[in-house]
Structure formats: structure tokens, C-alpha cells
Amino acid sequence: MLAMNKALENSFNKLLELEREIEESYLSFAHQLSVIAESYDETTGNHIERVGKLSAWFAEKLGLEPEKINKIRAFAPLHDIGKILVPNDILNKPGKLTDEEFEIMKKHVEYAGKLLGDSEYFEIARNIALYHHEKYDGSGYLKGLKGEEIPIEARIVALADIYDALRSERPYKKALSHEEALKIIFEGDGRTKPEHFDPRVLEILRENSEEIKRVWEEINNRR
């Protein structure tokens, strides 16, 4: 009986080690994909890293389980990985996109789903990439999901993505201050509206605005 228990214990430990190796392989692959995305679009490269870390910050504040927080941190940088298949002249256009160009741009979420495949381990990565442009009031794309229909990881990344985009300089816009970004998020500017975001995630931003400002600046200054 002791010998059998020992054999079972050894087998279990081997399975755990194999599981760790598989997980490390997936995380390594995710990191390489984020490097590709960053290299492909230097303008938003730093944005990719910041969104990952800010999303993990929101997930911690929401009290999600540690494993999910770690996956959100690892996979949030892949939210726009599908843009590597969008034509460069559209992706890097300095002015406003035409309606036709915007329809092409929106396909990056579909492309991301195909790039990430159907592995169960990449479920959170797919949810983020496919649904981070959905809006809480149902006005987003591509499926027009609403409220709790949108996976929580995508709702988190949606707000982290907008906050960082507002604070970042782009060829077509100047960087906004923390206070200017919050004003747009909480009051709206015609394009961005508070109704677009999960109220719980929005409240975390409101209650911890100075903390997220420090977090963002620490990440940004390390680059």
C-alpha cells in the first residue's frame, strides 16, 4: 500500500510539472505575440505593455482570483494583436478613417480570434481580443453585446485601453493629462461615454484615481 501511494504521488507530481511546463509555454507564446504586436506598431508599443499592467490592477481591485489576474496581465497586451493583419495605410492613417476604412479596422477583432486559435488555455486571451470593443450599453462592436454578456476581462481591458489611449500621444492627437482623461471618461466627449463601461470598473477608477495615476506614470517612466 505504501509503495502504491508513493507511485501515485510521483505520478501526480509529474503531471503537475508537465502542467507547469505547458502553462509556461503558453505564456511564452503570448509574450512573443505581444512583442510582435509592439514591433509592428511602434506608435502604440508602450500602450500594449501599459494596458496589460493597468488591466491587472483593475482585476486586483475587483477581487478576482489570482490565477485570473495573472492571465489578464499576460493576455491583455494581446488585445489588438489582430491589427497586424490590418493594412498599414489604414492602421497608420494620421486623419479620421472613412466609414469603409473603419469597417476594415473593426475586423482586427476577428483576426485576433483566428490568430489565438481555439485552445482552452487562451480563452481569456480570446475574450479580451474579441470583446474589448463591446460597450456596456450595447453600442460596441462586433456583436453588440451588453452588460454582463461581455466577459469581465474584456470589460476591464476596455476601460484600461481607453484611459491609456487618452493619456498617450498619437500622430493624430496630443497626450491628455490624467485629469483631462478622467473628465472625458466620466462626462463623455461625444465619442466616449460613461455608459460604455462597466459601472463597477468605472467606480474603481473614480475611487482610486490618484493611485492609477501613479501606477500609469511609474510604468510609463520605466520605458
Side-chain angles (χ1 to χ4, degrees), residues 145-171:
L145 299 183
K146 184 176 183 179
E148 300 292 319
E149 294 173 347
I150 307 167
I152 184 58
E153 51 266 33
R155 284 179 264 151
I156 289 171
V157 173
L159 185 52
D161 185 26
I162 288 293
Y163 174 80
D164 186 76
L166 290 170
R167 298 222 46 199
S168 304
E169 184 176 356
R170 294 286 186 269

Side-chain angles (χ1 to χ4, degrees), residues 68-87:
K68 190 157 191 172
I69 293 170
N70 288 335
K71 286 186 176 181
I72 289 172
R73 180 183 289 107
F75 296 144
L78 302 180
H79 65 287
D80 277 338
I81 187 65
K83 285 185 177 178
I84 68 174
L85 299 178
V86 173

Side-chain angles (χ1 to χ4, degrees), residues 14-111:
K14 287 179 181 178
L15 286 172
L16 286 179
E17 182 62 30
L18 179 60
E19 184 179 2
R20 281 193 291 269
E21 290 177 2
I22 292 172
E23 182 172 358
E24 288 173 4
S25 296
Y26 275 115
L27 290 174
S28 177
F29 178 60
H31 175 70
Q32 292 303 315
L33 281 178
S34 66
V35 169
I36 290 170
E38 183 170 350
S39 300
Y40 184 78
D41 187 0
E42 294 181 0
T43 302
T44 59
N46 294 1
H47 164 75
I48 289 169
E49 178 187 355
R50 289 193 300 266
V51 168
K53 293 180 178 179
L54 291 176
S55 296
W57 179 86
F58 276 111
E60 289 174 356
K61 293 294 184 183
L62 278 171
L64 301 187
E65 58 271 23
E67 182 181 0
K68 190 157 191 172
I69 293 170
N70 288 335
K71 286 186 176 181
I72 289 172
R73 180 183 289 107
F75 296 144
L78 302 180
H79 65 287
D80 277 338
I81 187 65
K83 285 185 177 178
I84 68 174
L85 299 178
V86 173
N88 274 330
D89 59 330
I90 293 177
L91 186 65
N92 297 315
K93 183 177 178 179
K96 183 179 178 181
L97 298 179
T98 65
D99 290 345
E100 183 181 24
E101 289 169 337
F102 185 58
E103 288 302 314
I104 295 172
M105 176 68 84
K106 288 196 298 187
K107 290 183 179 179
H108 76 276
V109 298
E110 293 183 31
Y111 299 151

Side-chain angles (χ1 to χ4, degrees), residues 184-195:
I184 289 174
I185 290 170
F186 291 131
E187 298 180 16
D189 66 350
R191 180 178 179 182
T192 299
K193 300 178 181 179
E195 293 84 4

